Amino acid sequence: MQRKNHAIFFIITLGMMLLTGCLKDEGSSSNRNGQPDKAVNQKMVTLNFWRNSGNKAENAAYDQLLEAFMSKHPSIKIVMMPFPYSDYDTKLRTAVAAGNPPDVMAIDAPNLASYAEAGALSPLTDAFQKEGHIEDIPQTTIDGYTYRQHIYLAPMTESSIAMFYNKKMFESAGIPLPSRDPNQAWTWEQVLDAAKKINDPAHGIYGIDPAQGFQNAGATAYFKYPVIWQFGGDVMNPEGTSAKGYLDSPETKRALTFYTELFTKHKVASFEYPVDAFPNRKLGITIDGTWSLSHIAENFPDFKLGVDFDVAPLPKEARQAVANGSWGLGISVKSKYQEEAWLFVNWMTSYEGLKLYTSITRDIPARYSVAKEFTELNEYPKNIFVIQNQKYGRPRPITPVFPQVSEAIKNLFEEVALEKRNLDEAIQAAINTIDKAYTDSVAISK
């Protein structure tokens, strides 16, 4: 594929996104004894590093990481440019398409394939396998940063979701409490049975919000992919080229049918919930992320973990499954300083770098060794999120048309549940949308 065509493909991808809203040397980064590492050379090198701006803790963590790295490598200067999350991907794609990308860039895992397909990233496979302690990272996490047999990103953190439930509602209804063991998830049938017993729409109380309602495509698809996987279904083929034979499989249809009937047949779910319905005691069960623990603690101090609510593993059916993949660091193929860039990326995502990062943010680190270092990540409730991610995590579709896939999945769930569209028709429309998006992207790149 010619580089000119890569650029054209990337510009088109950028346009579609706007319309839809949607290596180190051997003794360097793996040093766990705190000894300064040798720089690649003594000539002063400046690396431009772009990332999405995060919360206060994330921003402080990056500042400290850069300070620590540059103190070890005085001949390498890192110029960091954080951008607001809502603008970041657009700005990065624009810079890449214009041929003026940063040396190192943070990329959200689901967007990897489009950057790799456009020829924007340097493959990290050889360097990672030689120097990146790849065995310290779950294979499914590595899979999410791999496109066409090459690793393109070094992972930093992970995100995960679980089942939150109102403990007092369960106790009042005589419902046995779910296990806290990450390996002992309830089935969706057990969840449905509990939701029925809690459900009281006459008093504004609903049994469950199964997948964060119907919001923007990226957010809701993140919660809805696992529902399909849990029933044994899938969205696309492993190559990320087609949804045919996967999105229309009997397992996927069963997942969609079960989800739809929560709203239409059993009426334990609502198409609209009040703001903060769960901590306001208007919702018995919800699927949510680690971030909600701090949100509830800070804003609803009278709604206490262990007293008013508890956390359990995500429901399962044919299997347990949760979406993995968060932000990773990649190196521009255009960078003149490939070795220095790898030295930086590898240290940032190493045991030492991630331990420092996690000590400030308390996020889930991508490495087993770092997660073991933090007591709170090994105890209830955060151990549920960590172990689920490590054992049952799987990447969302790895495809250069991921934004269009997420939009199609959002629309599919919405059409069958909210608009009561015929299931087969809705699925076929989603397949047509996804496959056409991929076919168009291939035609543009030729």
Side-chain angles (χ1 to χ4, degrees):
M1 191 179 296
Q2 297 180 354
R3 194 163 298 281
K4 176 181 177 182
N5 291 331
H6 283 310
I8 295 172
F9 168 75
F10 210 73
I11 292 169
I12 296 298
T13 301
L14 171 64
M16 294 174 70
M17 188 183 73
L18 291 170
L19 288 172
T20 59
C22 336
L23 171 129
K24 142 187 162 353
D25 62 6
E26 292 184 1
S28 55
S29 67
S30 60
N31 189 336
R32 298 191 182 187
N33 299 317
Q35 298 300 316
D37 299 322
K38 295 180 180 180
V40 172
N41 56 57
Q42 295 305 308
K43 179 182 177 182
M44 194 68 191
V45 167
T46 298
L47 297 176
N48 291 308
F49 169 42
W50 284 18
R51 68 175 181 88
N52 60 305
S53 182
N55 58 37
K56 185 177 180 180
E58 291 168 345
N59 294 336
Y62 271 107
D63 287 341
Q64 291 192 35
L65 281 165
L66 263 63
E67 182 180 351
F69 175 80
M70 288 188 288
S71 70
K72 288 177 175 289
H73 305 286
S75 65
I76 301 177
K77 179 181 179 181
I78 307 298
V79 178
M80 180 170 63
M81 289 288 292
F83 295 90
Y85 175 80
S86 58
D87 299 333
Y88 176 67
D89 198 49
T90 299
K91 288 184 178 295
L92 182 58
R93 290 179 187 274
T94 301
V96 169
N100 189 33
D103 297 281
V104 178
M105 59 195 85
I107 295 176
D108 197 7
N111 294 327
L112 162 65
S114 61
Y115 286 91
E117 180 70 19
L121 297 171
S122 295
L124 304 180
T125 312
D126 292 343
F128 213 116
Q129 290 177 345
K130 179 181 178 183
E131 303 170 337
H133 294 281
I134 198 170
E135 73 284 350
D136 193 28
I137 302 170
Q139 183 59 50
T140 55
T141 296
I142 293 295
D143 291 345
Y145 296 93
T146 302
Y147 182 65
R148 295 187 177 175
Q149 289 76 55
H150 277 295
I151 300 170
Y152 284 98
L153 298 180
M156 289 195 67
T157 62
E158 278 289 7
S159 62
S160 190
I161 56 179
M163 185 176 81
F164 290 58
Y165 65 95
N166 188 304
K167 186 177 181 180
K168 289 187 175 179
M169 286 185 186
F170 271 54
E171 292 171 340
S172 296
I175 303 169
L177 301 182
S179 173
R180 291 180 173 184
D181 184 345
N183 301 302
Q184 298 295 322
W186 266 15
T187 66
W188 271 108
E189 291 297 333
Q190 288 176 293
V191 174
L192 173 58
D193 182 64
K196 287 178 178 178
K197 293 176 180 177
I198 293 169
N199 202 47
D200 188 7
H203 292 89
I205 298 172
Y206 281 90
I208 186 170
D209 179 359
Q212 290 291 306
F214 305 96
Q215 305 168 36
N216 67 74
T220 58
Y222 175 76
F223 287 87
K224 291 174 175 61
Y225 286 124
V227 177
I228 292 175
W229 299 333
Q230 287 153 6
F231 279 79
D234 221 322
V235 176
M236 296 187 76
N237 61 16
E239 297 76 25
T241 60
S242 176
K244 187 173 179 57
Y246 293 83
L247 197 55
D248 54 353
S249 70
E251 294 81 5
T252 301
K253 289 182 180 181
R254 182 167 172 243
L256 288 163
T257 298
F258 180 88
Y259 177 88
T260 299
E261 289 182 346
L262 293 174
F263 295 86
T264 59
K265 178 181 177 180
H266 306 296
K267 301 187 186 301
V268 293
S270 174
F271 294 116
E272 188 174 352
Y273 300 93
V275 176
D276 287 316
F278 182 70
N280 280 318
R281 300 173 173 84
K282 297 296 182 181
L283 185 60
I285 303 169
T286 189
I287 305 301
D288 218 330
T290 50
W291 53 87
S292 284
L293 293 169
S294 57
H295 172 72
I296 292 172
E298 292 170 8
N299 298 286
F300 299 90
D302 64 334
F303 192 64
K304 298 186 180 299
L305 177 68
V307 177
D308 300 287
F309 78 98
D310 265 323
V311 181
L314 274 184
K316 67 178 180 180
E317 200 58 28
R319 61 191 175 195
Q320 285 186 250
V322 62
N324 65 10
S326 187
W327 292 85
L329 302 184
I331 299 172
S332 170
V333 73
K334 289 184 174 292
S335 176
K336 298 178 181 179
Y337 307 109
Q338 294 290 319
E339 291 186 20
E340 290 85 354
W342 168 247
L343 187 67
F344 172 62
V345 167
N346 200 23
W347 186 85
M348 290 282 284
T349 61
S350 69
Y351 170 88
E352 184 180 357
L354 289 185
K355 185 178 179 181
L356 174 58
Y357 184 89
T358 305
S359 71
I360 300 169
T361 66
R362 319 314 279 189
D363 287 340
I364 299 174
R367 293 187 177 274
Y368 291 116
S369 60
V370 179
K372 290 177 181 177
E373 294 286 344
F374 295 88
T375 301
E376 68 182 274
L377 297 179
N378 295 279
E379 295 179 346
Y380 173 84
K382 286 195 174 179
N383 69 311
I384 293 175
F385 298 91
V386 173
I387 294 174
Q388 274 191 155
N389 183 273
Q390 292 176 347
K391 294 186 69 173
Y392 307 112
R394 57 179 296 172
R396 285 157 281 178
I398 303 171
T399 175
V401 292
F402 179 79
Q404 295 93 316
V405 174
S406 286
E407 183 72 23
I409 294 302
K410 168 192 174 292
N411 291 340
L412 174 59
F413 274 82
E414 191 171 287
E415 287 171 2
V416 297
L418 182 61
E419 300 173 11
K420 300 181 175 61
R421 186 177 181 183
N422 176 270
L423 178 63
D424 290 331
E425 289 180 2
I427 288 174
Q428 189 57 54
I431 291 173
N432 292 344
T433 297
I434 293 170
D435 286 10
K436 183 178 186 301
Y438 184 80
T439 300
D440 289 348
S441 73
V442 171
I444 290 168
S445 65
K446 287 183 178 180

Short mmCIF file of all heavy atoms in Angstrom, two decimals, residues 392-428:
data_model
loop_
_atom_site.label_atom_id
_atom_site.label_comp_id
_atom_site.label_asym_id
_atom_site.label_seq_id
_atom_site.Cartn_x
_atom_site.Cartn_y
_atom_site.Cartn_z
N TYR A 392 -10.74 -12.22 32.13
CA TYR A 392 -11.88 -12.30 31.21
C TYR A 392 -11.97 -11.10 30.26
O TYR A 392 -12.96 -10.96 29.54
CB TYR A 392 -13.18 -12.41 32.01
CG TYR A 392 -13.16 -13.53 33.02
CD1 TYR A 392 -13.16 -13.27 34.39
CD2 TYR A 392 -13.10 -14.86 32.61
CE1 TYR A 392 -13.12 -14.30 35.33
CE2 TYR A 392 -13.06 -15.90 33.53
CZ TYR A 392 -13.06 -15.61 34.89
OH TYR A 392 -13.01 -16.64 35.80
N GLY A 393 -10.94 -10.28 30.23
CA GLY A 393 -10.95 -9.12 29.34
C GLY A 393 -10.77 -9.53 27.89
O GLY A 393 -10.11 -10.53 27.59
N ARG A 394 -11.33 -8.76 27.00
CA ARG A 394 -11.11 -8.98 25.57
C ARG A 394 -11.26 -7.65 24.84
O ARG A 394 -12.03 -6.77 25.25
CB ARG A 394 -12.07 -10.02 25.00
CG ARG A 394 -13.54 -9.73 25.19
CD ARG A 394 -14.39 -10.82 24.55
NE ARG A 394 -14.21 -10.86 23.10
CZ ARG A 394 -14.72 -11.81 22.33
NH1 ARG A 394 -15.43 -12.78 22.85
NH2 ARG A 394 -14.53 -11.79 21.03
N PRO A 395 -10.48 -7.45 23.79
CA PRO A 395 -10.52 -6.18 23.08
C PRO A 395 -11.80 -6.00 22.27
O PRO A 395 -12.39 -6.96 21.80
CB PRO A 395 -9.30 -6.23 22.17
CG PRO A 395 -9.01 -7.69 21.99
CD PRO A 395 -9.46 -8.36 23.25
N ARG A 396 -12.20 -4.77 22.16
CA ARG A 396 -13.29 -4.43 21.24
C ARG A 396 -12.80 -4.64 19.80
O ARG A 396 -11.61 -4.84 19.59
CB ARG A 396 -13.71 -2.97 21.48
CG ARG A 396 -14.52 -2.78 22.76
CD ARG A 396 -14.46 -1.37 23.28
NE ARG A 396 -13.22 -1.13 24.00
CZ ARG A 396 -12.88 0.05 24.53
NH1 ARG A 396 -13.68 1.08 24.40
NH2 ARG A 396 -11.73 0.18 25.18
N PRO A 397 -13.69 -4.65 18.81
CA PRO A 397 -13.27 -4.97 17.45
C PRO A 397 -12.04 -4.17 17.01
O PRO A 397 -12.02 -2.94 17.11
CB PRO A 397 -14.50 -4.61 16.61
CG PRO A 397 -15.65 -4.82 17.54
CD PRO A 397 -15.15 -4.39 18.89
N ILE A 398 -11.02 -4.89 16.56
CA ILE A 398 -9.78 -4.25 16.12
C ILE A 398 -9.90 -4.05 14.61
O ILE A 398 -9.63 -4.94 13.81
CB ILE A 398 -8.57 -5.12 16.48
CG1 ILE A 398 -8.53 -5.37 17.99
CG2 ILE A 398 -7.27 -4.43 16.03
CD1 ILE A 398 -7.51 -6.39 18.42
N THR A 399 -10.33 -2.87 14.24
CA THR A 399 -10.64 -2.57 12.84
C THR A 399 -10.42 -1.09 12.59
O THR A 399 -10.65 -0.27 13.49
CB THR A 399 -12.10 -2.95 12.51
OG1 THR A 399 -12.41 -2.53 11.18
CG2 THR A 399 -13.07 -2.31 13.48
N PRO A 400 -9.98 -0.72 11.39
CA PRO A 400 -9.77 0.70 11.09
C PRO A 400 -11.06 1.50 11.03
O PRO A 400 -11.02 2.73 11.00
CB PRO A 400 -9.06 0.68 9.73
CG PRO A 400 -9.36 -0.65 9.15
CD PRO A 400 -9.49 -1.58 10.30
N VAL A 401 -12.21 0.82 11.02
CA VAL A 401 -13.49 1.54 10.99
C VAL A 401 -14.21 1.40 12.34
O VAL A 401 -15.43 1.35 12.39
CB VAL A 401 -14.38 1.05 9.83
CG1 VAL A 401 -13.77 1.44 8.50
CG2 VAL A 401 -14.62 -0.46 9.89
N PHE A 402 -13.44 1.36 13.42
CA PHE A 402 -14.04 1.18 14.74
C PHE A 402 -15.11 2.22 15.07
O PHE A 402 -16.17 1.86 15.63
CB PHE A 402 -12.96 1.18 15.82
CG PHE A 402 -13.53 1.02 17.20
CD1 PHE A 402 -13.91 -0.23 17.67
CD2 PHE A 402 -13.72 2.12 18.03
CE1 PHE A 402 -14.46 -0.39 18.94
CE2 PHE A 402 -14.26 1.98 19.29
CZ PHE A 402 -14.63 0.72 19.75
N PRO A 403 -14.93 3.52 14.80
CA PRO A 403 -16.00 4.48 15.12
C PRO A 403 -17.33 4.14 14.44
O PRO A 403 -18.39 4.25 15.04
CB PRO A 403 -15.44 5.82 14.61
CG PRO A 403 -13.96 5.64 14.65
CD PRO A 403 -13.73 4.21 14.27
N GLN A 404 -17.26 3.68 13.18
CA GLN A 404 -18.49 3.31 12.49
C GLN A 404 -19.10 2.04 13.08
O GLN A 404 -20.32 1.89 13.13
CB GLN A 404 -18.20 3.11 10.99
CG GLN A 404 -17.77 4.39 10.27
CD GLN A 404 -16.26 4.56 10.22
OE1 GLN A 404 -15.56 4.36 11.21
NE2 GLN A 404 -15.74 4.95 9.05
N VAL A 405 -18.25 1.12 13.55
CA VAL A 405 -18.76 -0.10 14.19
C VAL A 405 -19.49 0.26 15.47
O VAL A 405 -20.61 -0.23 15.73
CB VAL A 405 -17.60 -1.08 14.49
CG1 VAL A 405 -18.12 -2.28 15.28
CG2 VAL A 405 -16.95 -1.55 13.19
N SER A 406 -18.90 1.10 16.29
CA SER A 406 -19.55 1.49 17.55
C SER A 406 -20.88 2.21 17.30
O SER A 406 -21.86 2.00 18.02
CB SER A 406 -18.61 2.38 18.37
OG SER A 406 -17.59 1.61 18.95
N GLU A 407 -20.89 3.04 16.28
CA GLU A 407 -22.15 3.73 15.94
C GLU A 407 -23.21 2.73 15.51
O GLU A 407 -24.38 2.83 15.90
CB GLU A 407 -21.88 4.75 14.82
CG GLU A 407 -23.10 5.58 14.42
CD GLU A 407 -23.49 6.61 15.47
OE1 GLU A 407 -22.64 7.00 16.28
OE2 GLU A 407 -24.67 7.00 15.48
N ALA A 408 -22.80 1.74 14.71
CA ALA A 408 -23.74 0.72 14.24
C ALA A 408 -24.26 -0.13 15.41
O ALA A 408 -25.45 -0.48 15.45
CB ALA A 408 -23.08 -0.17 13.19
N ILE A 409 -23.39 -0.47 16.37
CA ILE A 409 -23.81 -1.26 17.52
C ILE A 409 -24.76 -0.46 18.41
O ILE A 409 -25.77 -0.97 18.89
CB ILE A 409 -22.59 -1.74 18.32
CG1 ILE A 409 -21.77 -2.72 17.47
CG2 ILE A 409 -23.01 -2.39 19.64
CD1 ILE A 409 -22.53 -3.93 17.00
N LYS A 410 -24.45 0.80 18.63
CA LYS A 410 -25.35 1.67 19.39
C LYS A 410 -26.73 1.70 18.74
O LYS A 410 -27.76 1.52 19.39
CB LYS A 410 -24.79 3.08 19.47
CG LYS A 410 -25.79 4.12 19.98
CD LYS A 410 -25.27 5.52 19.75
CE LYS A 410 -26.30 6.57 20.11
NZ LYS A 410 -27.46 6.57 19.20
N ASN A 411 -26.75 1.92 17.43
CA ASN A 411 -28.02 2.00 16.71
C ASN A 411 -28.77 0.68 16.74
O ASN A 411 -30.00 0.65 16.86
CB ASN A 411 -27.78 2.43 15.26
CG ASN A 411 -27.31 3.86 15.15
OD1 ASN A 411 -27.52 4.66 16.07
ND2 ASN A 411 -26.68 4.21 14.04
N LEU A 412 -28.04 -0.43 16.65
CA LEU A 412 -28.68 -1.75 16.66
C LEU A 412 -29.41 -1.98 17.98
O LEU A 412 -30.59 -2.38 17.99
CB LEU A 412 -27.62 -2.83 16.44
CG LEU A 412 -28.08 -4.28 16.58
CD1 LEU A 412 -29.20 -4.59 15.59
CD2 LEU A 412 -26.89 -5.23 16.37
N PHE A 413 -28.75 -1.77 19.09
CA PHE A 413 -29.39 -1.95 20.39
C PHE A 413 -30.58 -1.00 20.55
O PHE A 413 -31.61 -1.37 21.10
CB PHE A 413 -28.38 -1.71 21.51
CG PHE A 413 -27.57 -2.92 21.87
CD1 PHE A 413 -26.46 -3.28 21.13
CD2 PHE A 413 -27.92 -3.70 22.96
CE1 PHE A 413 -25.70 -4.40 21.47
CE2 PHE A 413 -27.18 -4.82 23.31
CZ PHE A 413 -26.06 -5.18 22.55
N GLU A 414 -30.41 0.21 20.07
CA GLU A 414 -31.47 1.20 20.18
C GLU A 414 -32.68 0.82 19.33
O GLU A 414 -33.83 0.93 19.78
CB GLU A 414 -30.93 2.57 19.75
CG GLU A 414 -31.83 3.74 20.07
CD GLU A 414 -31.12 5.05 19.81
OE1 GLU A 414 -30.23 5.41 20.61
OE2 GLU A 414 -31.45 5.71 18.80
N GLU A 415 -32.42 0.37 18.13
CA GLU A 415 -33.52 0.04 17.22
C GLU A 415 -34.34 -1.15 17.70
O GLU A 415 -35.57 -1.13 17.64
CB GLU A 415 -32.97 -0.24 15.82
CG GLU A 415 -32.49 1.01 15.10
CD GLU A 415 -31.75 0.70 13.82
OE1 GLU A 415 -31.64 -0.50 13.47
OE2 GLU A 415 -31.28 1.64 13.16
N VAL A 416 -33.67 -2.20 18.19
CA VAL A 416 -34.42 -3.40 18.59
C VAL A 416 -35.13 -3.20 19.93
O VAL A 416 -36.21 -3.74 20.16
CB VAL A 416 -33.53 -4.64 18.64
CG1 VAL A 416 -32.99 -4.96 17.25
CG2 VAL A 416 -32.39 -4.51 19.64
N ALA A 417 -34.54 -2.40 20.83
CA ALA A 417 -35.15 -2.22 22.16
C ALA A 417 -36.09 -1.03 22.20
O ALA A 417 -37.22 -1.14 22.68
CB ALA A 417 -34.05 -2.04 23.21
N LEU A 418 -35.64 0.09 21.68
CA LEU A 418 -36.41 1.33 21.79
C LEU A 418 -37.43 1.48 20.67
O LEU A 418 -38.59 1.84 20.91
CB LEU A 418 -35.44 2.52 21.78
CG LEU A 418 -36.02 3.92 21.95
CD1 LEU A 418 -36.74 4.04 23.29
CD2 LEU A 418 -34.91 4.97 21.86
N GLU A 419 -37.02 1.16 19.44
CA GLU A 419 -37.91 1.36 18.29
C GLU A 419 -38.66 0.10 17.89
O GLU A 419 -39.50 0.13 16.99
CB GLU A 419 -37.08 1.87 17.11
CG GLU A 419 -36.38 3.20 17.40
CD GLU A 419 -35.43 3.61 16.28
OE1 GLU A 419 -35.48 2.99 15.20
OE2 GLU A 419 -34.64 4.55 16.51
N LYS A 420 -38.35 -1.02 18.57
CA LYS A 420 -39.02 -2.31 18.32
C LYS A 420 -38.93 -2.74 16.85
O LYS A 420 -39.87 -3.31 16.29
CB LYS A 420 -40.49 -2.25 18.77
CG LYS A 420 -40.66 -1.95 20.26
CD LYS A 420 -42.11 -1.91 20.65
CE LYS A 420 -42.29 -1.73 22.14
NZ LYS A 420 -41.70 -0.48 22.66
N ARG A 421 -37.78 -2.49 16.23
CA ARG A 421 -37.57 -2.91 14.86
C ARG A 421 -37.35 -4.41 14.82
O ARG A 421 -36.81 -5.01 15.77
CB ARG A 421 -36.35 -2.20 14.27
CG ARG A 421 -36.13 -2.47 12.79
CD ARG A 421 -34.96 -1.68 12.25
NE ARG A 421 -34.78 -1.92 10.82
CZ ARG A 421 -33.79 -1.40 10.09
NH1 ARG A 421 -32.90 -0.58 10.65
NH2 ARG A 421 -33.69 -1.67 8.80
N ASN A 422 -37.75 -5.05 13.75
CA ASN A 422 -37.53 -6.48 13.57
C ASN A 422 -36.04 -6.79 13.76
O ASN A 422 -35.18 -6.14 13.19
CB ASN A 422 -37.99 -6.90 12.18
CG ASN A 422 -37.69 -8.36 11.89
OD1 ASN A 422 -36.62 -8.69 11.39
ND2 ASN A 422 -38.62 -9.23 12.21
N LEU A 423 -35.77 -7.81 14.58
CA LEU A 423 -34.39 -8.13 14.95
C LEU A 423 -33.52 -8.44 13.73
O LEU A 423 -32.42 -7.89 13.58
CB LEU A 423 -34.37 -9.31 15.92
CG LEU A 423 -33.00 -9.79 16.37
CD1 LEU A 423 -32.27 -8.70 17.14
CD2 LEU A 423 -33.14 -11.06 17.22
N ASP A 424 -34.00 -9.31 12.85
CA ASP A 424 -33.19 -9.70 11.68
C ASP A 424 -32.93 -8.51 10.76
O ASP A 424 -31.82 -8.37 10.22
CB ASP A 424 -33.88 -10.83 10.92
CG ASP A 424 -33.86 -12.15 11.67
OD1 ASP A 424 -32.92 -12.36 12.46
OD2 ASP A 424 -34.79 -12.96 11.49
N GLU A 425 -33.94 -7.67 10.59
CA GLU A 425 -33.76 -6.49 9.74
C GLU A 425 -32.74 -5.53 10.35
O GLU A 425 -31.89 -4.99 9.64
CB GLU A 425 -35.10 -5.76 9.56
CG GLU A 425 -36.11 -6.50 8.69
CD GLU A 425 -37.39 -5.72 8.54
OE1 GLU A 425 -37.47 -4.59 9.09
OE2 GLU A 425 -38.33 -6.22 7.88
N ALA A 426 -32.83 -5.32 11.65
CA ALA A 426 -31.91 -4.40 12.32
C ALA A 426 -30.48 -4.93 12.26
O ALA A 426 -29.53 -4.17 12.03
CB ALA A 426 -32.34 -4.20 13.77
N ILE A 427 -30.31 -6.23 12.46
CA ILE A 427 -28.98 -6.83 12.40
C ILE A 427 -28.40 -6.72 11.00
O ILE A 427 -27.24 -6.36 10.81
CB ILE A 427 -29.02 -8.30 12.85
CG1 ILE A 427 -29.25 -8.39 14.36
CG2 ILE A 427 -27.75 -9.03 12.46
CD1 ILE A 427 -29.45 -9.80 14.88
N GLN A 428 -29.22 -7.01 9.98
CA GLN A 428 -28.73 -6.92 8.61
C GLN A 428 -28.34 -5.50 8.25
O GLN A 428 -27.32 -5.27 7.57
CB GLN A 428 -29.79 -7.43 7.63
CG GLN A 428 -29.27 -7.58 6.20
CD GLN A 428 -28.07 -8.50 6.11
OE1 GLN A 428 -28.11 -9.65 6.57
NE2 GLN A 428 -26.97 -8.02 5.53
#
